[in-house]
């Protein structure tokens, strides 16, 4: 009888341990490693004294909702993590989104942390460890600055508060980003003003022609002219070697930002385009093998531990924000 009781205890511990393992390693379809992707969003520094009372850094809630709409969960990446803290977190998440904003691309915590993530992602992918990055607006520019090894590759342009159709480059349909897109999605992107631009700096086509560090790193998928019809800038890219993606435009705003001061297209076509892009990036994150070691560790890191607050119009121009 004592032997039977011991056997029952051993078997129960085995099955409990197996259940915990299954809570982290979930079955997927061929080629994917997780159906529970967790994506980090890099926070921005706060310099404004009025906003500092809320926290040291923040993330607009629209980026969180955007990723959640495609089936991902979000972990905030504070911009003051130590190197060891960042490396540890990197090994547990399945991708990172660099959001738009107005942080300095060389001196800020956003820039320093983004550069470290960029290097970690390159090293991981070089070793066969798939880890995708996405850059939106300022994040798009950050990807380019890092690809150019810190060089300033930005040009002043008039690209603020205008929703534009994309001018696709030759061969864009062969890209990872668009090869599986339905024709109605890409046709809407090419014919309708469904991509909101909110930038005063651009990465120009001319810069791509001069800077081999960019043309050898990224494939241009679309371009646009600025509002003054003077500057031709690159608006959508993907890495040639790495699963790094970027849009100078803001897909998340079509669904989740509502200020009247911005010329955001909220049409069904615009929402469909934004959802396609979100779905694509989250699917890229499903290729990552990274995972938290336990449910408890995972739960403690998620954005659910923070509450967004109403920001517009008194705090920021975003509808809601998370502060850290």
């Amino acid at each position: 009888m004592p032997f039977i009781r011991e056997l029952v205890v051993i078997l129960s511990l085995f099955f409990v341990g197996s259940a915990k393992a299954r809570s982290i390693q979930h079955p997927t379809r061929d080629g994917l490693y997780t159906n529970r992707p967790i994506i980090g969003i890099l926070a921005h520094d706060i310099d404004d004294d009025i906003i500092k009372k809320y926290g040291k850094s923040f993330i607009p809630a629209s980026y969180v909702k955007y990723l959640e709409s495609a089936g991902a969960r979000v972990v905030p990446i504070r911009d003051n993590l130590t190197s060891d803290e960042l490396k540890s977190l990197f090994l547990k998440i399945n991708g990172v989104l660099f959001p738009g904003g107005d942080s300095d691309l060389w001196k800020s915590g956003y820039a320093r942390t983004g550069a470290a993530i960029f290097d970690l992602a390159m090293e991981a992918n070089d070793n066969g460890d798939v880890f995708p990055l996405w850059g939106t607006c300022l994040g798009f520019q950050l990807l380019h600055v890092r690809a150019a090894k810190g060089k300033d590759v930005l040009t002043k342009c008039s690209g603020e508060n205008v929703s534009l159709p994309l001018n696709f480059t030759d061969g864009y349909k062969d890209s990872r980003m668009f090869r599986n897109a339905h024709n109605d999605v890409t046709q809407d992107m090419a014919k309708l003003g469904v991509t909101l631009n909110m930038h005063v700096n651009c990465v120009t086509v001319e810069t791509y022609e001069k800077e081999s560090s960019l043309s050898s790193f990224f494939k241009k998928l679309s371009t646009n002219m600025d509002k003054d019809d003077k500057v031709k800038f690159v608006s959508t890219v993907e890495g040639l070697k790495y699963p790094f993606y970027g849009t100078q435009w803001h897909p998340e705003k079509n669904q989740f930002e509502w200020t009247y001061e911005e010329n955001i297209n909220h049409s069904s076509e615009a929402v469909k385009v934004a959802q396609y892009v979100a779905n694509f990036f989250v699917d890229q994150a499903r290729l990552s093998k990274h995972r938290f070691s336990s449910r408890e560790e995972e739960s403690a890191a998620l954005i659910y531990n923070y509450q967004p607050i109403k920001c517009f119009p008194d705090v920021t121009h975003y509808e809601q924000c998370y502060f850290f």
Side-chain angles (χ1 to χ4, degrees):
M1 291 297 290
F3 171 76
I4 294 176
R5 284 198 297 270
E6 290 177 3
L7 181 60
V8 170
V9 170
I10 291 172
L11 288 174
S12 65
L13 289 174
F14 172 80
F15 286 118
V16 168
S18 298
K20 287 185 177 179
R22 285 197 300 272
S23 73
I24 301 300
Q25 300 182 27
H26 294 270
T28 65
R29 67 179 187 268
D30 291 344
L32 302 185
Y33 288 99
T34 180
N35 274 328
R36 298 172 66 89
I38 298 177
I39 296 173
I41 299 179
L42 179 57
H44 279 286
D45 321 45
I46 295 177
D47 296 321
D48 191 309
D49 289 336
I50 297 176
I51 307 176
K52 275 185 177 178
K53 65 182 180 182
Y54 294 97
K56 296 180 180 179
S57 60
F58 82 103
I59 294 172
S62 51
Y63 289 97
V64 177
K65 298 174 186 178
Y66 168 76
L67 293 176
E68 289 179 341
S69 76
R73 287 174 296 164
V74 168
V75 165
I77 303 177
R78 291 179 287 111
D79 61 0
N80 61 350
L81 296 179
T82 67
S83 177
D84 288 343
E85 288 173 333
L86 186 60
K87 289 178 181 177
S88 176
L89 180 59
F90 177 84
L91 294 173
K92 298 164 185 174
I93 58 179
N94 306 114
V96 170
L97 187 153
F98 299 140
D102 59 1
S103 294
D104 186 279
L105 287 177
W106 292 270
K107 300 177 181 179
S108 66
Y110 174 93
R112 291 191 298 272
T113 308
I117 293 170
F118 186 93
D119 291 343
L120 287 169
M122 284 187 63
E123 181 181 5
N125 284 289
D126 284 340
N127 291 324
D129 177 15
V130 176
F131 193 91
L133 300 179
W134 184 282
T136 296
C137 197
L138 186 74
F140 173 94
Q141 296 168 8
L142 175 64
L143 289 177
H144 283 78
V145 168
R146 299 324 311 166
K149 304 186 185 308
K151 184 175 181 179
D152 187 352
V153 291
L154 305 181
T155 300
K156 291 290 184 183
C157 67
S158 179
E160 193 166 20
N161 201 16
V162 57
S163 287
L164 300 169
L166 299 180
N167 300 317
F168 284 115
T169 58
D170 292 340
Y172 81 95
K173 282 293 285 182
D174 296 325
S175 67
R176 296 186 300 276
M177 192 185 299
F178 293 118
R179 68 171 57 134
N180 294 320
H182 292 159
N183 287 336
D184 58 341
V185 171
T186 52
Q187 286 174 4
D188 287 342
M189 297 174 93
K191 295 179 180 180
L192 305 176
V194 292
T195 68
L196 177 70
N197 291 261
M198 291 294 297
H199 54 94
V200 295
N201 292 306
C202 304
V203 182
T204 68
V205 172
E206 182 180 8
T207 297
Y208 257 77
E209 294 171 351
K210 293 178 179 179
E211 293 290 340
S212 61
S213 60
L214 298 184
S215 59
S216 63
F217 197 98
F218 290 112
K219 178 178 182 177
K220 301 189 300 294
L221 303 183
S222 74
T223 64
N224 283 97
M225 295 299 296
D226 74 349
K227 290 194 295 185
D228 295 335
D229 205 30
K230 293 181 179 179
V231 179
K232 187 176 183 180
F233 63 92
V234 180
S235 49
T236 310
V237 299
E238 70 177 23
L240 290 166
K241 178 181 178 182
Y242 300 100
F244 298 174
Y245 306 91
T247 56
Q248 184 63 79
W249 43 280
H250 287 266
E252 81 289 344
K253 286 181 180 281
N254 291 358
Q255 294 164 292
F256 302 112
E257 295 289 352
W258 295 92
T259 173
Y260 287 102
E261 281 71 22
E262 294 180 359
N263 187 29
I264 305 171
N265 189 333
H266 294 294
S267 67
S268 61
E269 293 85 359
V271 170
K272 180 171 59 179
V273 163
Q275 191 64 58
Y276 172 80
V277 176
N279 290 347
F280 169 79
F281 181 57
V282 171
D283 249 354
Q284 291 290 294
R286 290 186 172 100
L287 298 172
S288 168
K289 298 179 181 178
H290 294 191
R291 54 175 52 90
F292 286 87
S293 61
S294 69
R295 286 186 177 182
E296 292 76 18
E297 183 186 40
E298 176 183 283
S299 178
L302 293 171
I303 196 76
Y304 304 146
N305 294 289
Y306 303 88
Q307 292 298 321
I309 70 166
K310 181 179 182 294
C311 286
F312 183 82
D314 297 327
V315 183
T316 72
H317 64 276
Y318 301 104
E319 298 289 345
Q320 292 179 305
C321 304
Y322 288 90
F323 290 94
F324 312 100

Short mmCIF file of all heavy atoms in Angstrom, two decimals, residues 49 109 121 138 160 211 276 314:
data_model
loop_
_atom_site.label_atom_id
_atom_site.label_comp_id
_atom_site.label_asym_id
_atom_site.label_seq_id
_atom_site.Cartn_x
_atom_site.Cartn_y
_atom_site.Cartn_z
N ASP A 49 7.14 68.18 -18.66
CA ASP A 49 6.90 68.26 -17.22
C ASP A 49 5.44 68.01 -16.86
O ASP A 49 5.14 67.48 -15.79
CB ASP A 49 7.33 69.64 -16.69
CG ASP A 49 8.84 69.80 -16.68
OD1 ASP A 49 9.53 68.77 -16.64
OD2 ASP A 49 9.31 70.95 -16.74
N GLY A 109 16.27 57.19 -24.30
CA GLY A 109 16.15 55.81 -23.84
C GLY A 109 15.50 54.93 -24.89
O GLY A 109 15.84 53.75 -25.05
N ALA A 121 18.11 41.09 -32.02
CA ALA A 121 17.30 40.43 -33.04
C ALA A 121 18.15 39.97 -34.22
O ALA A 121 17.93 38.87 -34.76
CB ALA A 121 16.20 41.37 -33.51
N LEU A 138 8.20 56.74 -36.47
CA LEU A 138 9.52 56.91 -35.86
C LEU A 138 10.23 55.57 -35.74
O LEU A 138 11.46 55.49 -35.89
CB LEU A 138 9.39 57.56 -34.48
CG LEU A 138 10.71 57.91 -33.81
CD1 LEU A 138 11.34 59.14 -34.45
CD2 LEU A 138 10.53 58.14 -32.31
N GLU A 160 3.14 65.28 -42.87
CA GLU A 160 2.35 65.27 -41.64
C GLU A 160 0.86 65.40 -41.91
O GLU A 160 0.42 66.23 -42.70
CB GLU A 160 2.80 66.41 -40.71
CG GLU A 160 2.26 66.27 -39.30
CD GLU A 160 2.96 67.20 -38.33
OE1 GLU A 160 3.56 68.19 -38.78
OE2 GLU A 160 2.92 66.93 -37.13
N GLU A 211 22.97 55.16 -50.17
CA GLU A 211 23.39 54.41 -48.99
C GLU A 211 23.22 52.91 -49.22
O GLU A 211 22.14 52.37 -49.12
CB GLU A 211 22.59 54.85 -47.76
CG GLU A 211 22.86 56.26 -47.32
CD GLU A 211 24.26 56.41 -46.73
OE1 GLU A 211 24.86 55.39 -46.31
OE2 GLU A 211 24.75 57.55 -46.70
N TYR A 276 -5.09 43.63 -41.91
CA TYR A 276 -4.21 42.73 -42.66
C TYR A 276 -2.77 42.86 -42.19
O TYR A 276 -2.07 41.86 -41.97
CB TYR A 276 -4.27 43.01 -44.17
CG TYR A 276 -3.22 42.22 -44.90
CD1 TYR A 276 -3.42 40.88 -45.19
CD2 TYR A 276 -1.98 42.79 -45.23
CE1 TYR A 276 -2.43 40.12 -45.79
CE2 TYR A 276 -0.99 42.03 -45.83
CZ TYR A 276 -1.21 40.70 -46.11
OH TYR A 276 -0.22 39.94 -46.68
N ASP A 314 -6.07 66.45 -22.82
CA ASP A 314 -5.32 67.14 -21.77
C ASP A 314 -3.88 66.66 -21.61
O ASP A 314 -3.02 67.42 -21.18
CB ASP A 314 -6.05 67.00 -20.44
CG ASP A 314 -7.43 67.64 -20.47
OD1 ASP A 314 -7.58 68.66 -21.16
OD2 ASP A 314 -8.36 67.11 -19.82
#
